[in-house]
Amino acid sequence: MPDTIFSKIIRGEIPSHKVYEDAHVFAFLDIGPLSRGHTLVIPKQAVARLDELSDESAAAIGRVLPRLCRAVLKATGATNYNVLQNNGALAHQAVMHVHFHIIPRFEDGSGLGIKWGAGKLDPAAGKTLAEMIASSL
Ligand code: 5GP
């Protein structure tokens, strides 16, 4: 995969406000924060999408993500937040290296704006679809 700006940040070739690093994971402040404390958590493994991530990298992120959320909340005083993870340009992914956003949500409205166009799940279609997904695992 071609280098993205995030690989350069991991290697220290581009500066960032780092908040955490271990053998598999790097976390730093987003340069265009939606709110104070907006933090990006990325694997050191350079793949574009979550479904491409190795089990080892995924486990390493899963292990530290809640701790990073707690740290962002403690540092900012926020009590509400979103964790966002975009895959593909249609899904608003701009940087093609897996990343999780931790985005505090404040009373002043700063944070992630969400358009949630909920539909209605048809029971029969839902049964078929759930079976298809389960058998694809
Ligand atoms: P995406 O839309 O791909 O999920 O989000 C990419 C995020 O990366 C954006 O929130 C953007 O502000 C952030 N970003 C892009 N380039 C840089 C950079 O050079 N440094 C930092 N710290 N964040 C960046």
Side-chain angles (χ1 to χ4, degrees), residues 34 82 105 109-115:
L34 294 183
N82 296 94
R105 179 81 179 175
S110 65
L112 180 68
I114 301 179
K115 176 173 170 282

Side-chain angles (χ1 to χ4, degrees), residues 6-78:
F6 287 177
S7 291
K8 294 186 172 76
I9 285 175
I10 291 167
R11 293 197 298 266
E13 294 164 14
I14 291 177
S16 72
H17 293 288
K18 180 170 87 172
V19 301
Y20 177 82
E21 181 172 13
D22 66 28
H24 298 286
V25 182
F26 195 94
F28 55 105
L29 297 183
D30 193 297
I31 204 169
L34 294 183
S35 61
R36 185 168 167 270
H38 185 164
T39 298
L40 297 174
V41 184
I42 66 177
K44 289 188 173 174
Q45 184 188 5
V47 291
R49 305 161 62 113
L50 187 60
D51 51 277
E52 298 169 327
L53 201 57
S54 69
D55 286 356
E56 190 179 31
S57 292
I61 287 196
R63 208 161 28 238
V64 75
L65 193 54
R67 187 146 66 95
L68 284 164
C69 292
R70 288 193 291 274
V72 170
L73 295 180
K74 189 172 175 192
T76 61

Side-chain angles (χ1 to χ4, degrees), residues 108-123:
D108 67 3
S110 65
L112 180 68
I114 301 179
K115 176 173 170 282
W116 193 275
K120 195 169 181 351
L121 183 65
D122 171 74

